[in-house]
Amino acid sequence: MELNTISKKIFTGDKIIWGVVFLLVIISILVVYSATGAIAFKRMGGDTEYYLIKHSVLLVMALVIMWVCHRIDYRYYSRLSRLALLISVPLLILTWLFGTTINEASRGIIIPFINQSFQTSDFATLALIANVASMLSKRQQSIREFQRSTLPIIFWSGLICGLIALANFSSAVLLFATCLLIMFIGRVPVRYLVMTIVIGAVVGMLALKLGQRSGTATSRVKAFFDTEQVTFQEEQSYIAVATGGVLGKGIGNSQQRNFLPHPYSDFIYAIIIEEYGLLGGGIVLGLYLILLYRGMVAMAKSERAFGGLLSAGLSFSLVVQALVHMGVVVGLVPVTGLPLPLLSMGGTSLFFTGISLGIILSVSRGELEKTEKEAITPAAGNNYRKVVHTIE
């Protein structure tokens, strides 16, 4: 009983989200070890556990960051979002001009002393989602005034997404779609949403033309619609899916990990289906859908516009990225190079996933604590609300 009480105090917020996260972490450790064992043996002189240990350490750090973020009142993130957004602009420009090359594009900068690559687009994504939610929550009473309410959101969304698109077009499209969703939930008029889409398309085409991956993006789209020819990475992914069957080949028995480019990141879902079958792939898909559902539950229960919009935006961003990754593996969408959140091996991307999940938990924790306090003193429920609003 004491252990149960302690765990409730430590892991506050939505318990289902906590459960989903821990299950994904366990699956991540198993699959990354399987996908990197042979590579580690060749590169590290027989040390097959090198990448496993590195990934496990990063996962633990991401969980710690997630726990810290979930203990912070989510309202503070509104205050930090504008500062983070202002920092994002020079960081993205610096990355584009002088960043380290990842997959033929400048996507990160090296953090001094620790020699770790930092993908600035992850930071900018989180900053933009939080800031769009913050701006919308403060402008609900004047939401139909274009110049005052919608124009600043369009400006920041176009600027950040355009800068990200210079090096990572697929991530920019996903972020832009997330901003549109937040605007739709935030009651932005349809005519302004259409205007946002048009402006976004123009900015996207300009960024694609000026960016570093225009040729790659164009070739991938053409290859997707070419029914007579399949690229090498697509072919290997399809083989992994086809040979996995219903129950899979078993843990550590993947064959396509030896042929797939980046089997530990861009195509890790193919390894999951090959080793765990359609059953394992369906379970992973179900976990992400549960995460999306619980994020929307937190939104529905939130009494504040900012908390609801923030939870919806972050949940949508994480889960849609996962769905796009899965779609690439089974051939439903063109190859994008997006990792599977919390499952793919990565560096700072794991930290920002932890921050996003921690903020979602912070929103659910805030609403849960209000519900529990009102349940303890139901007669004083109305007085409690008055006190809280007075303090705020």
Side-chain angles (χ1 to χ4, degrees):
M1 188 64 180
E2 290 184 1
L3 183 61
N4 187 36
T5 303
I6 293 174
S7 65
K8 285 183 177 180
K9 291 183 179 180
I10 295 176
F11 302 107
T12 57
D14 193 316
K15 300 300 186 294
I16 296 178
I17 294 180
W18 279 109
V20 168
V21 168
F22 285 128
L23 286 174
L24 288 175
V25 166
I26 293 171
I27 295 171
S28 177
I29 292 173
L30 293 174
V31 180
V32 167
Y33 181 47
S34 175
T36 59
I39 299 174
F41 183 82
K42 295 177 183 178
R43 294 181 180 177
M44 302 300 163
D47 185 5
T48 58
E49 286 82 24
Y50 174 80
Y51 291 114
L52 170 66
I53 295 173
K54 181 180 179 180
H55 180 64
S56 299
V57 170
L58 291 174
L59 277 175
V60 171
M61 293 174 65
L63 288 175
V64 172
I65 292 172
M66 174 181 164
W67 183 86
V68 171
C69 289
H70 107 284
R71 298 296 299 182
I72 299 173
D73 191 322
Y74 69 85
R75 288 171 292 180
Y76 287 110
Y77 296 113
S78 176
R79 304 173 189 176
L80 295 173
S81 63
R82 178 53 62 91
L83 175 61
L85 202 60
L86 293 173
I87 295 174
S88 297
V89 175
L91 279 179
L92 289 171
I93 296 174
L94 180 66
T95 302
W96 180 46
L97 295 176
F98 308 106
T100 56
T101 301
I102 303 174
N103 294 333
E104 303 177 357
S106 301
R107 296 184 177 178
I109 55 177
I110 299 297
I111 301 175
F113 306 111
I114 64 174
N115 197 32
Q116 176 66 51
S117 178
F118 165 57
Q119 291 201 36
T120 52
S121 60
D122 294 330
F123 177 78
T125 295
L126 185 60
L128 180 60
I129 292 174
N131 196 63
V132 169
S134 177
M135 286 190 288
L136 278 172
S137 65
K138 295 174 181 177
R139 293 169 169 83
Q140 285 298 294
Q141 301 301 321
S142 59
I143 197 64
R144 296 187 176 277
E145 298 178 17
F146 176 77
Q147 188 171 354
R148 179 182 176 185
S149 299
T150 309
L151 185 58
I153 298 173
I154 295 177
F155 170 77
W156 282 110
S157 298
L159 178 62
I160 298 298
C161 291
L163 289 174
I164 293 176
L166 292 171
N168 194 338
F169 191 75
S170 55
S171 294
V173 171
L174 177 59
L175 177 58
F176 185 71
T178 302
C179 293
L180 285 174
L181 174 74
I182 300 174
M183 292 170 70
F184 176 75
I185 297 175
R187 303 187 303 114
V188 172
V190 175
R191 63 181 182 276
Y192 296 157
L193 290 176
V194 174
M195 186 184 302
T196 305
I197 293 173
V198 173
I199 294 174
V202 173
V203 173
M205 294 301 295
L206 183 61
L208 189 60
K209 186 176 181 179
L210 299 176
Q212 302 166 330
R213 299 275 286 174
S214 59
T216 302
T218 303
S219 63
R220 284 178 174 178
V221 173
K222 288 182 178 179
F224 176 74
F225 289 102
D226 186 355
T227 57
E228 297 181 358
Q229 189 175 2
V230 179
T231 63
F232 175 78
Q233 52 192 358
E234 290 175 319
E235 180 183 16
Q236 301 307 313
S237 178
Y238 299 160
I239 293 173
V241 172
T243 57
V246 178
L247 299 178
K249 297 178 180 178
I251 301 175
N253 293 328
S254 169
Q255 298 297 320
Q256 297 311 116
R257 63 187 174 188
N258 300 316
F259 305 101
L260 265 172
H262 310 293
Y264 43 82
S265 57
D266 295 356
F267 286 90
I268 197 168
Y269 191 64
I271 307 301
I272 291 174
I273 295 181
E274 185 182 9
E275 294 191 352
Y276 299 90
L278 292 177
L279 179 61
I283 290 173
V284 171
L285 172 61
L287 290 174
Y288 281 109
L289 293 179
I290 291 172
L291 179 60
L292 177 62
Y293 172 71
R294 297 309 300 180
M296 295 303 170
V297 168
M299 178 198 72
K301 291 183 177 180
S302 177
E303 295 182 357
R304 302 181 182 282
F306 175 67
L309 294 171
L310 186 61
S311 178
L314 293 176
S315 302
F316 181 83
S317 177
L318 289 174
V319 176
V320 171
Q321 179 179 328
L323 294 178
V324 171
H325 175 103
M326 297 175 190
V328 169
V329 167
V330 300
L332 294 178
V333 296
V335 175
T336 60
L338 291 174
L340 196 56
L342 211 62
L343 281 179
S344 294
M345 187 177 75
T348 54
S349 62
L350 285 173
F351 300 160
F352 287 105
T353 299
I355 293 172
S356 298
L357 290 168
I359 294 174
I360 296 170
L361 282 167
S362 177
V363 175
S364 69
R365 179 178 71 89
E367 305 311 321
L368 185 62
E369 288 179 352
K370 287 181 182 179
T371 303
E372 290 176 348
K373 288 180 179 179
E374 291 180 8
I376 295 173
T377 58
N382 292 330
N383 292 332
Y384 170 73
R385 287 193 184 93
K386 291 178 181 178
V387 171
V388 171
H389 288 300
T390 302
I391 293 175
E392 292 170 349

